[in-house]
């Protein structure tokens, strides 16, 4: 994403779209705020890409080994590099070599002969370095080039006529001159997709693999991190130190990494291998609360893949202003600064845990076996996405795994345009486009359905075969099919053709016809998605009381009718898709009694959630009310939370029944997340009886409980809430507390409170919260009469606007500009011409920076 992206980490409350190195999840967060819906529509009218097949890169030459010796110029944000890169022709003899080398100054390009550098002729257009070798080489002959160069990531220019690479700098200098207070000075790199060739010449394609050595000279006060092991360190006389990192096993160039800064390093281990966490020193005390499950995750993933963690160590670093969620560089994952949660945030649970699991699983799927092309990114990302389900199921139980899986289905379904895209994407406008809801959550669910179809032991044995066969190489989705076919003995082309090389999902209509006389039930399943029919192996469970009989059937026609004889009396429930794994939309025409039975006896997370959803729509029925009461005490907090979200307490009758229960949850629920929701609901009553409860909860250690309590209090006693907000604003606050403080200050404060409001807005730590405050903050500005205050407020908005990464500015700028223009119009209408003019200069003036 960006250099300046500061604080734009949105993963926290957004549904999953874990990026490895990409932008999407930032924007999906913004879009989920409902603020940017219009912005998405600005797709280019150029559709030529639809006809351009994206082949895997042809291998003319193969990388073998890459050795770098680098030092950094913090003033200029340059890197001075020397490279020795060992290469051979892939198969056909050749006397030339093309290397990706983006925006560099090249000083020497030579071939190493008998220890001497013999200069070679080359052509360089700023993007590709074409080297004329001294003779024709055969694939049995390797040679080493020496290249002396300067990498200038911030001066990288977009090539006329070529795809924009505005935000793929590869090498990022963060606060390099120390000019930004409260921000550490760091250097880190981000390779995926093809950006590492900004800092070293290479064949920057995912189907290349090379071993690696990096020798880094850095200010002695900093620590460094790179791939492989730190072999040695040498202190130099000039205040610098030289660290030598070595990676013995081959991996793809986009997985190369360097990270440099003033980090605390907290060390754990796995089977004698270092497992370490590089965090800003302030977070050293909580580093293990954030990352501490890592060794257990490594053991778990080693066990299920049957391949013990394949690399020499595993480190995780948190980078400031990181452009993405996190990136699975081999042996050294880089996380965005959203990973750094303080102790109060962690009270609500570790929001980063799924990302930690995701990046770790990439060490097998992505790093050990790498996608051969961006079209096949599913063999990296669908596995990493699915690993979050696997980890949650293992660590926290079936409900947790099912909840993550269900969330994945929903996040795919929420984006209608995803239904148009094949999982394996041979056609795309930009290679960055493949990092989306199809490659991640849809692909993860396709793996989950496959697991249920072939069974656990065949599933994991097939993964093992795929990894073993393709380790240290690249692979595509067909390699995966072959592994599953070999293990199961079945032809699985139908599954791959349907889910990997095709698009969309089934839409099912499910009806039931009971014939008590004949003691038979018919289940009629219709596919309503259109012409394309799906083949779906599913389980249909027929329940009599607690007794379940399972029928395994295939849905494959426009309409399929299945008939089952009653074993006892009329079934209490016929549960289609008994494991609730189908990636589909469905209209399941069950009765309330069916759902009551489903909650109690089918009992899976999705079974219960569906029952609550149905009952919420039939709350005039006493049986539905009873189920909702039971669900408020469900064993799993996400069901309790969902049930709360379904209660419309504006209805007097509902309120009378549920209010005491909710009040009890607000005080005692053992999940802070549920308590916060309950407090939020109670707040809508404006009932003074809850004042003490709210007041007490404002000092809860959880930001979400305290924040919702403050907002609820302001509904009862706005004066006290305002006083409290001003007090709370002086202490660190994040998340929902930070939003609540700003909300209360804006709602109840006057012009005299403006400075406090502005200060709170300025220091709001995450962009998602801050983005949500843009509108209320702007409406506050319309009321401010002092021109100085107005200017300060406008400047803060512009600062935030410009801190958003360049790649998103096209989408976010119009929102800021429209909002500010709205304020200007109000000012003009009130005769405050000076203020209106000031806003207008800022709105127009800021366009230059774009
Ligand atoms: Zn990933």
């Amino acid at each position: 994403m960006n250099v300046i992206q500061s604080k734009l980490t949105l993963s926290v409350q957004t549904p999953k779209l874990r990026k490895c190195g990409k932008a999407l999840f930032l924007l999906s967060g913004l879009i989920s705020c409902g603020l940017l819906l219009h912005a998405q529509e600005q797709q280019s009218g150029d559709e030529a890409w639809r006809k351009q097949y994206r082949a895997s890169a042809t291998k003319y030459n193969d990388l073998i080994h890459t050795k770098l010796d680098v030092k950094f110029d913090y003033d200029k944000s340059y890197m001075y590099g020397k490279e020795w890169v060992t290469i051979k022709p892939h198969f056909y003899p050749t006397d030339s070599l093309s290397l990706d080398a983006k925006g560099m100054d090249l000083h020497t390009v030579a071939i190493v002969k008998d220890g001497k550098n013999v200069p070679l002729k080359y052509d360089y257009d700023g993007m590709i370095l074409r080297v004329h070798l001294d003779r024709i080489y055969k694939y049995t002959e390797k040679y080493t080039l020496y290249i002396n160069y300067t990498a200038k990531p911030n001066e990288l220019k977009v090539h006329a006529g070529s795809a924009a690479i505005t935000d793929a700098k590869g090498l990022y200098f963060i606060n390099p001159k120390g000019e930004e207070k409260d921000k550490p000075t760091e250097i880190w790199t981000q390779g995926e997709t093809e950006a590492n060739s900004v800092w070293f010449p290479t064949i920057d394609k995912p189907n290349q693999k090379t071993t690696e050595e990096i020798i880094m000279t850095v200010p002695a006060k900093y620590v460094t991190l790179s791939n492989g092991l730190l072999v040695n360190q040498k202190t130099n006389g000039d205040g610098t130190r030289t660290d030598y990192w070595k990676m013995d096993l081959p991996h793809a160039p986009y997985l190369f990494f360097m990270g440099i800064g003033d980090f605390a390093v907290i060390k754990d281990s796995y089977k004698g291998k270092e497992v370490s966490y590089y965090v800003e020193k302030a977070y050293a005390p909580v580093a293990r609360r954030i990352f501490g499950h890592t060794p257990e995750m490594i053991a778990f993933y080693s066990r299920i893949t049957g391949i013990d963690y394949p690399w020499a160590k595993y480190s995780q670093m948190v980078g400031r202003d990181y452009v993405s969620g996190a990136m699975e560089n081999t042996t050294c994952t880089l996380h965005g600064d959203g990973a750094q949660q303080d102790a109060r945030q962690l009270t609500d649970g570790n929001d980063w845990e799924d990302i930690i699991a995701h990046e770790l699983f990439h060490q097998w799927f992505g790093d050990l076996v790498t996608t051969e092309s961006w079209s096949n990114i599913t063999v990296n990302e669908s596995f990493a996405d699915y690993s979050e389900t696997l980890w949650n199921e293992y660590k926290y139980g079936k409900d947790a795994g099912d909840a993550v899986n269900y969330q994945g289905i929903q996040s795919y379904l929420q984006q209608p345009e995803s239904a148009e895209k094949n999982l394996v994407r041979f056609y795309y406008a930009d290679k960055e486009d493949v990092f989306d809801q199809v490659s991640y959550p849809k692909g993860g669910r396709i793996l989950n359905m496959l697991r249920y179809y072939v069974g656990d032991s065949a599933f994991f044995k097939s993964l093992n075969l795929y990894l073993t066969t393709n380790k240290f190489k690249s692979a595509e989705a067909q390699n995966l099919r072959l592994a599953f076919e070999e293990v199961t003995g079945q032809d699985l082309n139908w599954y791959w053709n349907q889910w990997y090389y095709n698009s969309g999902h089934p839409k099912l209509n499910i009806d039931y016809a009971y014939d008590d006389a004949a003691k038979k039930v018919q289940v009629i399943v219709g596919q309503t998605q259109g012409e394309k029919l799906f083949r779906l192996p599913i389980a249909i469970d027929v329940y009599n009381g607690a007794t379940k009989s399972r029928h395994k059937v295939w849905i494959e026609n426009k309409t399929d009718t299945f008939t089952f004889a009653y074993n006892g009396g009329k079934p209490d429930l016929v549960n289609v898709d008994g494991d609730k794994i189908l990636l589909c939309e469905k209209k399941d025409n069950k009765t309330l009694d069916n759902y009551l039975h489903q909650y109690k006896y089918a009992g899976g997370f999705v079974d219960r959630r569906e029952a609550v959803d149905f009952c919420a729509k039939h709350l005039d029925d006493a049986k539905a009310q009873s189920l909702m009461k039971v669900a408020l005490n469900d064993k799993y907090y996400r069901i309790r939370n969902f049930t709360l979200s379904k209660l419309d307490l504006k209805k007097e009758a509902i309120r009378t029944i549920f209010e005491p229960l909710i009040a009890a949850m607000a005080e005692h629920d053992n999940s802070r997340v549920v308590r916060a929701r309950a407090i939020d609901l109670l707040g809508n009553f404006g009932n003074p009886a809850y004042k003490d409860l709210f007041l007490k909860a404002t000092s809860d250690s959880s930001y979400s409980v305290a924040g919702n309590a403050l907002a609820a209090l302001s509904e009862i006693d706005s004066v006290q809430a305002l006083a409290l907000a001003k007090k709370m604003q002086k202490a660190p606050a994040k998340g929902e507390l930070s939003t609540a403080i700003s909300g209360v200050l804006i709602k109840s404060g006057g012009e005299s409170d403006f400075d406090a409001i502005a200060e709170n807005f300025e220091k709001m730590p995450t962009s998602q919260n801050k983005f949500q405050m843009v509108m209320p903050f702007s409406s506050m500005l319309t009321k401010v009469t002092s021109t100085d205050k107005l200017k300060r407020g406008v400047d803060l908005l512009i600062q935030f606007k410009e801190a958003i990464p360049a790649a998103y500015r096209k989408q976010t700028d119009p929102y800021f500009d429209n909002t500010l223009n709205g304020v200007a119009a109000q000012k003009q209408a009130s005769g405050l011409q000076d203020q209106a003019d000031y806003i207008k200069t800022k709105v127009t003036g800021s366009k230059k920076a774009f």
Side-chain angles (χ1 to χ4, degrees):
M1 304 177 201
N2 74 318
V3 193
I4 334 148
Q5 161 199 339
S6 116
K7 304 142 193 177
L8 286 173
T9 310
L10 291 174
S11 67
V12 180
Q13 285 132 0
T14 26
K16 353 215 99 212
L17 187 59
R18 272 54 217 260
K19 242 348 208 356
C20 303
K22 300 293 124 31
L24 203 71
F25 98 47
L26 165 72
L27 267 193
S28 75
L30 294 184
I31 288 163
S32 76
C33 303
L35 299 171
L36 282 174
L37 288 169
H38 63 285
Q40 255 198 331
E41 290 157 17
Q42 37 136 38
Q43 287 286 329
S44 139
D46 179 9
E47 300 282 288
W49 61 268
R50 290 187 187 278
K51 293 186 178 149
Q52 191 186 345
Y53 172 74
R54 304 286 183 170
S56 299
T58 304
K59 295 183 199 172
Y60 299 103
N61 295 285
D62 294 342
L63 294 171
I64 296 170
H65 184 68
T66 306
K67 179 179 176 182
L68 301 171
D69 184 339
V70 303
K71 55 187 183 188
F72 303 92
D73 186 330
Y74 283 82
D75 281 335
K76 293 182 176 152
S77 293
Y78 286 177
M79 188 191 90
Y80 304 115
K82 294 177 195 163
E83 177 181 43
W84 294 262
V85 56
T86 303
I87 291 177
K88 71 172 193 60
H90 179 73
F91 184 78
Y92 299 106
T94 179
D95 62 356
S96 69
L97 165 71
S98 286
L99 293 174
D100 299 288
K102 295 177 179 136
M104 296 175 177
D105 288 347
L106 298 173
H107 311 302
T108 310
V109 177
I111 191 160
V112 182
K113 293 254 167 185
D114 304 325
K116 287 201 187 101
N117 298 328
V118 182
L120 293 173
K121 287 189 182 142
Y122 63 90
D123 304 307
Y124 183 51
D125 64 1
M127 295 291 281
I128 308 271
L129 165 60
R130 290 176 213 285
V131 184
H132 306 282
L133 301 172
D134 55 331
R135 63 176 173 84
I136 293 174
Y137 287 79
K138 292 188 281 193
Y139 74 86
T140 50
E141 297 175 297
K142 57 182 183 182
Y143 56 87
T144 298
L145 294 189
Y146 168 75
I147 303 169
N148 188 328
Y149 62 97
T150 304
K152 299 153 70 171
N154 292 353
E155 295 169 31
L156 193 62
K157 292 287 187 293
V158 178
H159 234 226
S162 77
I165 47 168
T166 45
D167 214 35
K169 296 182 183 192
L171 172 65
Y172 293 80
F173 288 82
I174 305 303
N175 196 18
K177 299 181 201 173
E179 288 163 342
E180 292 172 80
K181 76 175 171 75
D182 302 329
K183 184 180 281 191
T185 295
E186 295 173 1
I187 292 174
W188 44 256
T189 64
Q190 165 56 37
E192 196 176 28
T193 48
E194 296 172 11
N196 272 346
S197 46
V198 173
W199 59 277
F200 64 97
T202 189
I203 305 172
D204 203 352
K205 298 294 172 190
N207 60 359
Q208 291 284 337
K209 297 225 166 176
T210 165
T211 49
E212 170 196 346
E213 291 167 275
I214 299 188
I215 297 150
M216 277 183 248
T217 299
V218 301
K221 61 187 170 181
Y222 294 144
V223 297
T224 70
L225 177 64
S226 187
N227 313 94
L229 291 177
L230 179 60
V231 176
N232 62 50
Q233 298 186 296
K234 193 178 90 212
T235 305
N236 307 314
D238 58 356
T240 66
R241 192 188 68 245
T242 301
D243 289 359
Y244 171 32
W245 289 87
K246 189 158 189 268
M247 173 83 176
D248 283 331
L249 299 170
H251 65 143
Y254 77 88
L255 296 166
F256 276 42
F257 176 76
M258 300 186 295
I260 298 145
D262 185 20
F263 295 98
V265 184
I266 288 82
K267 290 187 180 173
D268 280 338
S269 75
Y270 169 76
K271 289 192 176 174
K273 291 177 179 177
E274 176 182 322
V275 174
S276 49
Y277 322 123
Y278 288 60
V279 297
E280 288 172 30
K281 285 178 173 159
Y283 291 88
V286 287
R288 272 204 184 83
R289 285 182 64 186
I290 300 167
F291 295 106
H293 287 318
T294 305
E296 187 183 349
M297 285 179 186
I298 297 177
F300 171 60
Y301 289 155
S302 294
R303 181 165 63 73
I304 62 172
T305 59
I307 294 187
D308 205 15
Y309 180 74
W311 310 103
K313 65 122 186 345
Y314 188 60
S315 301
Q316 298 174 83
M317 173 179 271
V318 180
R320 269 296 177 108
D321 296 354
Y322 177 51
V323 293
S324 168
M327 178 66 209
E328 70 271 22
N329 310 295
T330 317
T331 77
C332 44
T333 285
L334 179 64
H335 291 280
D337 48 25
Q340 284 182 157
Q341 305 153 82
D342 65 25
R344 290 188 68 183
Q345 275 175 297
L346 290 163
T347 309
D348 288 335
N350 181 1
D351 274 325
W352 213 260
E353 185 166 321
D354 288 355
I355 300 183
I356 292 167
H358 175 124
E359 306 309 329
L360 175 62
F361 206 51
H362 271 311
Q363 301 296 316
W364 287 263
F365 290 91
D367 297 2
L368 182 63
V369 180
T370 306
T371 181
E372 68 168 33
S373 68
W374 305 120
S375 301
N376 273 284
I377 196 70
T378 176
V379 302
N380 290 11
E381 293 302 349
S382 302
F383 280 106
D385 183 277
Y386 188 47
S387 74
E388 300 170 35
T389 300
L390 293 170
W391 166 254
N392 275 278
E393 181 185 311
Y394 156 80
K395 180 72 181 169
Y396 303 107
K398 187 131 192 346
D399 275 350
D402 288 351
V404 173
N405 198 61
Y406 180 79
Q407 208 173 3
I409 294 176
Q410 298 313 311
S411 56
Y412 158 74
L413 291 177
Q414 274 161 16
Q415 236 184 34
E417 66 271 25
S418 293
E420 305 299 317
K421 301 173 183 173
N422 291 4
L423 179 55
V424 175
R425 199 87 42 82
F426 289 124
Y427 299 88
Y428 51 72
D430 186 299
K431 56 188 180 306
E432 312 298 325
D433 299 346
V434 303
F435 297 85
D436 64 3
Q437 300 285 2
V438 175
S439 302
Y440 287 68
K442 186 185 184 191
R445 269 57 276 155
I446 288 170
L447 289 169
N448 188 54
M449 289 188 291
L450 182 62
R451 175 183 167 201
Y452 275 83
Y453 176 60
V454 301
D456 268 23
S457 71
F459 181 80
F460 291 109
K461 193 165 184 207
S462 302
L463 298 196
N464 176 272
L465 180 62
Y466 166 82
L467 289 169
T468 308
T469 309
N470 301 293
K471 64 183 173 186
F472 306 114
K473 294 196 284 196
S474 59
E476 60 176 297
Q478 299 291 19
N479 296 100
L480 192 64
R481 176 178 61 81
L482 293 172
F484 274 86
E485 290 192 347
E486 186 170 335
V487 168
T488 62
Q490 299 178 23
D491 187 314
L492 290 166
N493 276 297
W494 68 272
Y495 194 88
W496 262 253
N497 289 340
Q498 174 170 293
W499 292 115
Y500 281 81
Y501 298 99
N502 219 317
S503 62
H505 58 272
K507 295 181 184 173
L508 305 180
N509 185 66
I510 306 168
D511 280 310
Y512 307 87
Y514 294 89
D515 183 342
D516 289 339
K519 300 200 100 186
K520 279 180 183 165
V521 57
Q522 282 189 326
V523 180
I524 305 125
V525 184
Q527 298 198 40
T528 64
Q529 67 276 1
E531 285 313 298
K532 192 194 305 179
L533 295 178
F534 282 80
R535 261 192 101 191
L536 308 166
I538 56 158
I540 299 181
D541 295 336
V542 180
Y543 283 84
N544 276 96
T547 310
K548 166 176 98 175
S549 52
R550 169 159 289 198
H551 305 271
K552 290 195 168 180
V553 298
W554 288 80
I555 295 173
E556 46 197 344
N557 299 298
K558 186 92 186 144
T559 305
D560 288 294
T561 303
F562 308 101
T563 306
F564 307 113
Y566 299 180
N567 289 327
K570 180 180 175 178
D572 297 301
L573 166 70
V574 176
N575 201 20
V576 174
D577 184 24
D579 296 313
K580 297 287 175 294
I581 54 161
L582 269 191
L583 180 80
C584 70
E585 291 174 78
K586 68 177 175 186
K587 186 165 182 298
D588 197 340
N589 299 302
K590 287 175 183 160
T591 63
L592 174 60
D593 283 334
N594 290 154
Y595 277 117
L596 298 177
H597 203 83
Q598 178 169 320
Y599 183 95
K600 190 166 176 194
Y601 292 102
F605 168 79
V606 181
D607 291 314
R608 275 144 54 221
R609 194 183 186 283
E610 283 180 357
V612 169
D613 201 24
F614 186 88
C615 289
K617 293 173 187 134
H618 297 83
L619 272 180
D620 42 357
D621 188 307
K623 285 192 281 190
Q625 291 169 7
S626 305
L627 185 122
M628 296 296 271
K629 284 190 200 163
V630 172
L632 285 176
N633 287 299
D634 194 277
K635 62 183 175 177
Y636 188 46
Y637 79 96
R638 281 193 168 108
I639 294 288
R640 300 200 298 279
N641 219 22
F642 179 66
T643 310
L644 283 176
S645 77
K646 286 286 167 182
L647 291 172
D648 182 0
L649 297 175
K650 287 190 199 81
K651 293 183 181 154
E652 187 65 33
I654 308 295
R655 186 171 151 177
T656 314
I657 301 167
F658 291 102
E659 189 178 335
L661 273 170
I662 297 170
M665 291 169 86
E667 220 165 350
H668 301 301
D669 198 283
N670 61 21
S671 155
R672 293 299 218 288
V673 178
V674 175
R675 278 188 66 199
R677 266 317 54 78
I679 289 169
D680 179 36
L681 268 183
L682 285 187
N684 295 328
F685 298 167
N687 181 347
Y690 297 122
K691 189 173 168 184
D692 284 347
L693 191 162
F694 295 157
L695 207 51
K696 193 171 154 217
T698 57
S699 57
D700 193 90
S701 60
S702 145
Y703 285 135
S704 60
V705 170
N708 282 287
L710 178 65
L713 181 67
S714 79
E715 299 292 327
I716 297 169
D717 187 339
S718 59
V719 176
Q720 189 167 4
L722 179 63
L724 201 55
K726 286 183 190 170
K727 204 174 111 197
M728 290 169 107
Q729 185 235 355
K730 297 196 171 74
K734 290 188 181 185
E736 293 188 55
L737 180 56
S738 160
T739 316
I741 291 172
S742 276
V744 169
L745 289 173
I746 289 172
K747 189 179 109 189
S748 309
E751 185 148 351
S752 61
D753 300 304
F754 178 80
D755 288 337
I757 295 167
E759 194 188 322
N760 198 59
F761 181 77
E762 186 173 14
K763 71 179 190 187
M764 282 181 83
T766 77
S767 72
Q768 188 173 32
N769 289 331
K770 198 164 181 169
F771 206 84
Q772 284 164 356
M773 292 315 295
V774 167
M775 192 56 87
F777 187 69
S778 302
S779 73
M780 171 85 196
L781 290 182
T782 61
K783 294 179 216 147
V784 162
T785 54
S786 146
T787 302
D788 282 349
K789 287 186 165 63
L790 174 102
K791 284 184 176 174
R792 183 175 175 209
V794 170
D795 290 353
L796 284 174
L797 284 169
I798 296 288
Q799 239 174 51
F800 179 40
K801 166 185 160 178
E802 292 180 349
I804 289 174
Y808 311 116
R809 293 279 301 276
K810 225 189 270 179
Q811 304 195 28
T812 53
D813 274 13
Y815 176 66
F816 282 91
D817 291 348
N818 291 342
T819 308
L820 282 166
N821 283 331
V823 179
Q826 292 251 9
K827 295 293 178 186
Q828 205 148 13
S830 321
L832 296 165
Q833 192 60 42
D834 281 6
Q835 297 193 5
D837 289 346
Y838 183 78
I839 297 170
K840 282 179 189 162
T841 54
K842 285 292 173 172
V843 173
T844 335
S846 62
K847 281 188 180 146
K848 279 186 296 190
F850 198 162

